[in-house]
Amino acid sequence: MVEEDIKFIETQHIDLTDVEFKGRVLDIGGGGEGIIGQLKGERVVASKRRESELIEAAPGDYLKIVMDAKELKFLDESFETATAFFTLMYAPLLDHKKIFQEIYRVLKNGGEFVMWDLTMPKRDIRSKNYYGVNLEVTIGEKKNSTGYAVPWKKEQNLKYYSNLGKTIGFKILEQDEINEAFYIRFQKNR
Ligand SMILES: C[S@@+](CC[C@H](N)C(=O)[O-])C[C@H]1O[C@@H](n2cnc3c(N)ncnc32)[C@H](O)[C@@H]1O
């Protein structure tokens, strides 16, 4: 990936200082900056597909585990909370439904799935091959600056994910657009 081939949008600012989660947290695609691990420490299990990415992940009190979100190894109803912080932009569209179904399965009844991601428009023939964002994430006094970029192969936005969640059976408790990023809090409520 060369810098000139990435369509970088302006820096997005996300403040997680007052974000609350219930109980134990499964962070899908955690590691990297380990933002959710930094936020909630030992309550977090961070899962990623590749071991190398977890080894390189920011250190912290959270537990790191190699696991594909399409096939979570946890029993049904194991977690009060699941999170995906700028993870689903990295997964192919074809995998999203299975990932949502697996998250729904491992959540307890009343449990919540909280996601943040990037609004990505449709690519046209003249567009660059990658789409990326620089993020400034605030957790209390601490500011993390990081960047995420992926092959520009899909279009995604808040509506796409909220509809997907609803088709799986989630209720939407909260949703918000933060410039070109968005946040959705789903609940499993049978
Ligand atoms: C770059 S991280 C996102 C930022 C990260 N949450 C943080 O706090 O810094 C997203 C990761 O999700 C991982 N991922 C994508 N699809 C996945 C899947 N099906 N199962 C597990 N991890 C996945 C990718 O390997 C990618 O490295």
Side-chain angles (χ1 to χ4, degrees):
M1 190 187 326
V2 283
E3 189 99 353
E4 302 81 64
D5 204 15
I6 308 175
K7 159 84 178 148
F8 261 112
I9 58 167
E10 66 177 71
T11 300
Q12 304 289 300
H13 297 269
I14 299 198
D15 189 346
L16 298 180
T17 309
D18 296 324
V19 171
E20 298 284 349
F21 301 136
K22 294 193 281 186
R24 194 185 283 138
V25 181
L26 173 63
D27 184 29
I28 304 291
E33 291 300 307
I35 296 292
I36 302 298
Q38 286 190 43
L39 186 64
K40 299 294 177 194
E42 58 186 23
R43 279 168 52 199
V44 176
V45 180
S47 92
K48 262 198 171 182
R49 269 181 309 195
R50 291 190 203 97
E51 186 175 353
S52 57
E53 293 176 337
L54 281 169
I55 291 169
E56 288 156 13
D61 289 339
Y62 57 100
L63 188 67
K64 299 171 192 162
I65 186 164
V66 181
M67 200 183 278
D68 191 321
K70 297 196 294 302
E71 207 184 328
L72 294 173
K73 303 293 182 196
F74 299 105
L75 298 181
D76 296 356
E77 315 222 333
S78 294
F79 290 87
E80 285 87 357
T81 301
T83 54
F85 188 81
F86 292 85
T87 291
L88 292 166
M89 64 185 272
Y90 282 83
L93 278 184
L94 277 176
D95 291 351
H96 286 170
K97 186 170 178 201
K98 185 71 183 136
I99 294 173
F100 266 67
Q101 285 169 331
E102 279 293 86
I103 292 171
Y104 189 89
R105 183 182 66 74
V106 302
L107 277 176
K108 294 182 180 175
N109 195 29
E112 293 174 6
F113 171 41
V114 190
M115 66 168 290
W116 291 257
D117 221 298
L118 190 62
T119 304
M120 216 186 293
K122 193 167 161 51
R123 181 178 183 277
D124 77 40
I125 195 85
R126 296 176 305 274
S127 306
K128 300 196 174 187
N129 284 310
Y130 294 84
Y131 199 82
V133 61
N134 287 312
L135 277 190
E136 193 174 86
V137 185
T138 305
I139 303 175
E141 301 287 290
K142 196 167 172 204
K143 287 205 191 304
N144 294 268
S145 296
T146 184
Y148 302 128
V150 291
W152 194 353
K153 289 190 175 154
K154 58 177 169 281
E155 181 185 2
Q156 61 163 35
N157 52 37
L158 183 149
K159 195 152 187 252
Y160 162 74
Y161 284 107
S162 59
N163 283 339
L164 178 61
K166 282 191 253 177
T167 64
I168 302 300
F170 279 116
K171 289 196 170 129
I172 292 171
L173 294 183
E174 252 186 296
Q175 58 183 34
D176 196 13
E177 270 169 320
I178 321 152
N179 293 320
E180 293 181 67
F182 58 87
Y183 152 85
I184 311 175
R185 187 179 282 260
F186 297 97
Q187 187 176 45
K188 172 174 176 175
N189 203 335
R190 285 184 282 124

